[in-house]
Amino acid sequence: MIGIKKIDHIGIAVKDLARAIEFYEGLLGLKVTGTEVVEEQKVKVAFLPTGDSEVELLESTTPDGPIARFIEKNGEGIQHIAFRVENLEQALEELKAKGVRLIDEKPRRGAGGARIAFLHPKSTFGTLVELCERDN
Ligand SMILES: C[C@@H](C(=O)O)C(=O)SCCNC(=O)CCNC(=O)[C@H](O)C(C)(C)COP(=O)(O)OP(=O)(O)OC[C@H]1O[C@@H](n2cnc3c(N)ncnc32)[C@H](O)[C@@H]1OP(=O)(O)O
Ligand SMILES: [Co+2]
């Protein structure tokens, strides 16, 4: 077993981060604890904690990134779910050995200094799954 600790965050694709934040902060009462550009993923993100997990709002920084493509095809909405794991490299090795299709064979750098990797939705019953490992 790969040792999932909790839902780390839910990734929500939005067209306009500032306007989405107005809703999540102004109307839902959540608070943005950080915003960041993650160049490798072509996204600008904002994190809003909700108890032990977070909402991650994602706006594309380019017309061709994964978030832009997702919105083009599906419109705005939930794009991925992220599970926190103890040991990402080991989890990836284990899943690969069991035939799961990995998008990332090795950990990449995510927001907030996390190590992240994605599993292909064709291998996960239709949901894009992110695994992430954090030091804290
Ligand atoms: C900052 C960081 C962090 O948290 O720290 C992040 O989260 S970055 C978050 C953004 N970064 C990422 O998403 C990186 C990983 N994502 C990717 O590599 C890509 O988006 C893929 C998931 C491989 C999809 O690629 P692409 O759009 O080129 O493929 P496609 O449209 O042909 O899709 C192939 C099939 O997968 C399905 N599909 C595509 N995206 C999906 C999604 N988000 N959830 C569920 N299914 C999805 C399509 O409907 C299609 O199924 P049918 O064939 O049945 O039509
Ligand atoms: Co994410």
Side-chain angles (χ1 to χ4, degrees):
M1 287 302 131
I2 68 170
I4 288 176
K5 294 158 89 174
K6 63 173 188 172
I7 291 176
D8 187 89
H9 63 268
I10 307 276
I12 301 177
V14 300
K15 290 182 187 164
D16 184 330
L17 189 61
R19 288 195 53 214
I21 287 173
E22 279 173 22
F23 168 77
Y24 278 89
E25 283 199 324
L27 298 180
L28 295 191
L30 300 178
K31 290 278 166 283
V32 173
T33 53
T35 58
E36 183 179 341
V37 171
V38 180
E39 292 288 354
E40 192 177 24
Q41 299 290 343
K42 300 179 176 169
V43 291
K44 184 169 159 197
V45 305
F47 276 97
L48 304 94
T50 55
D52 205 28
S53 301
E54 303 190 49
V55 169
E56 178 186 48
L57 299 175
L58 304 121
E59 179 190 292
S60 188
T61 55
T62 64
D64 65 333
I67 295 303
R69 282 207 307 273
F70 178 86
I71 290 176
E72 212 175 295
K73 204 165 167 185
N74 308 286
E76 296 172 296
I78 295 180
Q79 191 252 355
H80 67 270
I81 181 165
F83 295 113
R84 178 92 61 96
V85 295
E86 294 276 0
N87 184 332
L88 181 55
E89 297 233 8
Q90 193 183 310
L92 293 174
E93 229 170 80
E94 222 175 294
L95 292 171
K96 190 182 177 186
K98 289 175 178 163
V100 174
R101 185 167 158 197
L102 308 180
I103 293 174
D104 304 299
E105 300 256 338
K106 293 281 167 216
R108 293 171 177 271
R109 202 198 146 275
R115 289 171 294 286
I116 66 170
F118 287 90
L119 311 181
H120 200 282
K122 289 293 166 200
S123 259
T124 64
F125 299 84
T127 299
L128 177 60
V129 171
E130 175 187 334
L131 300 179
C132 74
E133 181 189 328
R134 296 181 194 276
D135 291 332
N136 57 26

